[in-house]
């Protein structure tokens, strides 16, 4: 690999310092970095005081059994009490906690007092079904208030939840229920999706037919569709709504398991990422408050993630509610009933903070800025990005079209495993560069290292590692300690290997370059798929691009790009492809010129919006396309290959 080549790639010199008025009112100043540098553990102990503890801890961190961490040792707290009851006790019972917006456009406000009653009822009902502290509960629900209530009810009684995204198949649900040996599954009869009611319970019936650990299935009536019923099934409205709205929240150990969340690894078997209570809630709450500059009495926050992903756990449920947020939750898709749906929601509820993913932003770019332009987005004051590297072009569009050139954009790097944000700007402090998550948050240790684990010099590229334990770190992989050590801690001694490539620029800002398996090596030059994608998307004809490294006899890997064009192309295919290749050469350098550019109409994405480059690599290498079961739309691969056989775009 050549770090020189890497460091010359993607020259991005724009930088946006915080607006003076914003900085003046910001929750966090540069002092936070100094405080954490002076006393890292002390810094986290201060942040833990944001929470209400039933008993104090006697040790901030026990790392003697590394990489198995214990934070706030001996401390006891109830996570649900921290997210709900204490806000009612402090006089905010009438504050709206959730603004639920359904796809069809009805909305419903739920106050903290109502949420407290709902969570208490659900906790009583779960206990009535025999769920005890330590028992696992699987949750397979759409984005409705009951999903959040169910998670908090589990937290309240100390029963770790395992939320499974409601778009996953019966088989995916079965394997997750089975791995965690869940005792109860909470689901709904169905969900609304693109204007129609889709059944959900049949997948649960199919899954639990093979999972003897499950005693009961608790079913929310959402669509009113017909459902099959067996002796283990119980209706939410019968047992939860009939339960007492009073429930005493018992305190649990800071290291009591809070949830398991499955994420895909390099093998076929999903990993159950385990998170615990005190450290997790501390970091989720502090980062949500600091990075989004949350003002609980003023802001209306909206995170567009689904609770099936970690973003929904940490930045819809735990962090925001611990901070007494008022937030929008939305059940539907961005284009139902029209492509301006999100902007209509921002306008309707006067949303001030929006947190979403680059894939969504690029989709909106593709649809055209005339759509958001029709709505009043002036309530927005801060924008966030998460999930994948955001290309500078999308960052600039987000800032201009959605943020009205004034909102700070916080690009937040973190993972299911990290539990909470790790690398992100502080919006009142950091001068942000489009496409960079900037630097580790106060109290976080991150570095970019080379193959030998040595930190790279400014300008160099390598692998992102985390070199200090952090409060919301995963505590392991459920039932597989060895895989935990092997996957994350065995590459370099004492360093957590994140699996992402990164570049350090001359000013010390970190540029995430995508998963390491997405970094190409062309004639000994390391080139990130993201950088080439970014260059392609900066051409006016390109709406979206996905780049893979295909095996090449001469150069090791050759760059193959799949592009979706904006509107109807003005030029003929071959001419445009030649122009795009030259454009990439111009933006990055001749070494980054794609060997092939294929014009397509769709890209294969997972349900959380990550491009499945593995499948594109299959096409680029003329292989039979592999396993497509985790694709959001399994027919996409057919569309792509059909389109290619009639496309003249391949040069
Ligand atoms: C929160 C989440 C984790 C992977 C991670 C990265 C990528 C996430 C960013 C990012 C560049 C970002 N959890 N990733 N955020 N890459 N910039 N701001 O997405 O477990 O589902 O995925 O996502 O590759 O390793 S996750």
């Amino acid at each position: 690999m050549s770090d020189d080549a890497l460091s010359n790639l993607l020259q991005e010199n724009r930088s946006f310092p915080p607006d003076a008025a914003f900085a003046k009112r910001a929750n966090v100043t540069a002092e936070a970095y100094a405080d954490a540098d002076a006393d890292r553990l002390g810094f986290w102990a201060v942040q833990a005081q944001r929470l209400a503890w039933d008993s104090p801890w006697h040790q901030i961190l026990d790392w003697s059994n590394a990489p198995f961490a214990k934070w706030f040792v001996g401390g006891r707290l109830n996570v649900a009490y921290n997210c709900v009851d204490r806000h009612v006790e402090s006089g905010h019972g009438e504050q709206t906690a959730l603004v639920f917006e359904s796809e069809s456009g009805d909305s419903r406000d739920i106050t903290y007092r109502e949420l407290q009653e709902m969570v208490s009822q659900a906790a009583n009902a779960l206990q009535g079904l025999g769920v005890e502290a330590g028992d696992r509960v699987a949750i397979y629900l759409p984005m409705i208030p009951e999903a959040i209530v169910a998670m908090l009810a589990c937290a309240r009684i100390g029963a770790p939840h395992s939320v499974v995204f409601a778009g996953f198949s019966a088989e995916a649900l079965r394997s997750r229920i089975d791995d965690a040996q869940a005792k109860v599954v909470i689901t709904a009869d169905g969900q609304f999706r693109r204007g129609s009611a889709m059944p959900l319970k049949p997948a649960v019936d199919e899954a639990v037919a093979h999972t003897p650990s499950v005693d009961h299935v608790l079913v929310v009536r959402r669509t009113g569709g017909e459902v099959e019923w067996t002796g283990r099934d119980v209706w939410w409205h019968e047992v939860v709504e009939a339960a007492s709205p009073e429930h005493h929240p018992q305190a649990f150990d800071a290291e009591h398991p809070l949830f398991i969340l499955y994420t895909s690894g390099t093998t076929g078997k999903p990993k159950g990422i385990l998170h615990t209570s005190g450290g997790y809630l501390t970091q989720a709450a502090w980062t949500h408050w600091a990075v989004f500059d949350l003002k609980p009495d003023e802001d209306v926050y909206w995170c567009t993630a689904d609770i099936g992903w970690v973003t929904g756990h940490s930045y819809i449920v735990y962090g925001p509610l611990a901070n007494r947020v008022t937030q929008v939750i939305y059940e539907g898709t961005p284009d139902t009933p029209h492509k301006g749906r999100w902007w209509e929601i921002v306008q309707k509820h006067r949303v001030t903070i929006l947190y979403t993913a680059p894939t969504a932003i690029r989709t909106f770019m593709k649809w055209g800025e005339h759509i958001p332009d029709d709505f009043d987005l002036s309530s927005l004051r801060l924008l966030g990005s998460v999930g994948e590297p955001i290309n500078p072009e999308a960052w600039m569009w987000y800032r201009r079209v959605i943020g009205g050139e004034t909102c700070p954009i916080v690009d937040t790097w973190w993972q299911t495993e990290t539990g909470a944000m790790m690398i992100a700007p502080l919006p009142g402090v950091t001068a942000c560069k489009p496409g960079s998550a900037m630097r580790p948050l106060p109290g976080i240790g991150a570095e970019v290292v080379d193959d030998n684990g040595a930190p790279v010099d400014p300008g160099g590229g390598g692998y992102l590692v985390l070199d200090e334990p952090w409060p919301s770190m995963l505590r392991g992989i459920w039932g597989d300690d060895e895989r935990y050590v092997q996957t994350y801690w065995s590459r370099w001694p004492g360093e957590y290997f994140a699996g992402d490539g990164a570049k350090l620029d001359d000013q010390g800002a970190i540029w995430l370059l995508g998963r390491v398996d997405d970094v190409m090596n062309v004639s000994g030059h390391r080139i990130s798929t993201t950088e080439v994608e970014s260059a392609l998307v900066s051409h006016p004809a390109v709406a979206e691009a996905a780049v893979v490294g295909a095996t090449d006899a001469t150069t090791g890997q050759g760059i193959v790009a799949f592009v979706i064009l904006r509107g109807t192309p003005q030029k003929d295919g071959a001419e445009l492809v030649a122009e795009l290749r030259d454009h990439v050469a111009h933006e990055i350098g001749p070494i980054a010129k794609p060997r092939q550019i294929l014009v397509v109409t769709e890209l294969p994405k997972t349900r959380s919006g990550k491009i499945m480059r593995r499948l594109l690599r299959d096409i680029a290498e003329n292989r039979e396309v592999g396993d497509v079961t985790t694709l959001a739309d399994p027919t996409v691969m057919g569309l792509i290959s059909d389109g290619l056989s009639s496309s003249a775009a391949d040069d």
Side-chain angles (χ1 to χ4, degrees), residues 486-564:
Q486 204 50 41
T487 308
Y488 303 105
W489 298 94
S490 60
R491 195 134 165 179
W492 299 288
E495 315 261 27
Y496 169 92
F497 173 54
D500 280 37
K503 182 180 87 176
L504 200 63
D505 75 13
D506 293 332
Q507 285 84 43
I510 296 176
W511 297 73
L512 279 311
L513 302 174
R515 302 295 301 189
V516 180
D517 41 12
D518 293 341
V519 176
M520 302 173 290
N521 191 322
V522 183
S523 309
H525 300 293
R526 275 181 56 158
I527 302 165
S528 152
T529 54
T530 317
E531 282 176 306
V532 180
E533 285 163 7
S534 194
L536 284 165
V537 174
S538 74
H539 187 283
V542 177
E544 200 162 1
V547 166
V548 298
T551 307
D552 187 292
T554 338
T555 59
Q557 281 189 315
I559 303 176
V560 179
F562 295 77
V563 299
I564 301 180

Side-chain angles (χ1 to χ4, degrees), residues 263 310-311 385-390 411-417 437 498-500 512 514-515 608 610:
T263 188
V310 74
T311 306
S385 174
V386 64
E388 47 175 327
I390 180 166
D411 175 6
T412 62
W413 180 90
W414 59 292
Q415 308 177 299
T416 304
E417 292 88 341
D500 280 37
L512 279 311
R515 302 295 301 189
S608 62
K610 294 193 165 79

Side-chain angles (χ1 to χ4, degrees), residues 96-337:
T96 301
L98 306 177
V99 179
F100 170 61
E101 176 82 23
S102 76
E103 194 179 63
S104 62
D106 317 322
S107 45
R108 168 184 171 202
D109 287 1
I110 296 171
T111 64
Y112 273 98
R113 185 184 311 283
E114 288 166 331
L115 188 60
Q116 181 185 36
E117 290 178 3
M118 293 163 83
V119 172
S120 298
Q121 287 183 312
N124 282 321
L126 286 173
Q127 286 177 322
L129 292 173
V131 179
E132 291 173 11
D135 290 343
R136 276 80 60 205
V137 174
I139 297 176
Y140 187 67
L141 281 171
M143 278 300 290
I144 55 177
E146 288 83 352
I148 294 173
V149 170
M151 291 166 74
L152 291 168
C154 288
R156 193 175 187 93
I157 63 174
H161 54 68
S162 161
V163 180
V164 180
F165 177 59
F168 273 136
S169 65
E171 171 51 26
L173 176 62
R174 186 207 58 76
S175 66
R176 286 161 175 76
I177 293 173
D178 199 51
D179 186 76
Q181 289 290 290
K183 207 165 165 180
V184 166
V185 182
I186 308 179
T187 188
D189 52 356
Q191 60 177 328
F192 291 106
R193 206 83 193 138
R194 298 186 193 280
S196 47
M198 314 273 284
L200 208 52
K201 185 160 182 292
V204 179
D205 293 339
E206 200 181 319
V208 300
H210 308 282
T211 55
S213 64
V214 174
D215 295 337
H216 291 289
V217 177
L218 181 54
V219 188
V220 175
R221 190 152 68 195
R222 174 67 188 136
T223 59
E226 283 282 306
V227 285
E228 303 241 337
W229 209 252
T230 75
R232 67 170 177 250
D233 298 335
V234 282
W235 281 115
W236 177 281
H237 60 267
E238 287 177 3
V239 303
V240 176
E241 285 161 27
S244 162
E246 311 237 325
H247 181 273
H248 173 72
Q250 184 198 332
F252 294 99
D253 192 274
E255 284 299 332
H256 190 80
L258 179 62
F259 66 84
I260 303 165
L261 183 59
Y262 288 84
T263 188
S264 30
T266 45
T267 73
K269 189 177 184 286
K271 302 175 280 195
I273 302 301
L274 174 66
H275 284 286
T276 61
S277 303
Y280 169 79
L281 194 61
T282 295
Q283 194 175 331
W286 183 76
T287 53
H288 178 259
W289 177 80
V291 175
F292 293 138
D293 191 47
L294 185 86
K295 308 272 194 273
D297 297 315
E298 297 165 29
D299 280 316
V300 177
Y301 166 81
W302 181 21
C303 166
T304 66
D306 188 282
I307 49 133
W309 312 116
V310 74
T311 306
H313 285 60
S314 303
Y315 297 105
I316 293 177
V317 182
Y318 294 111
L321 293 174
N323 290 329
R324 186 169 53 80
V325 79
T326 293
Q327 71 176 320
V328 172
I329 59 167
Y330 175 51
E331 176 187 37
T333 47
D335 54 354
T336 308

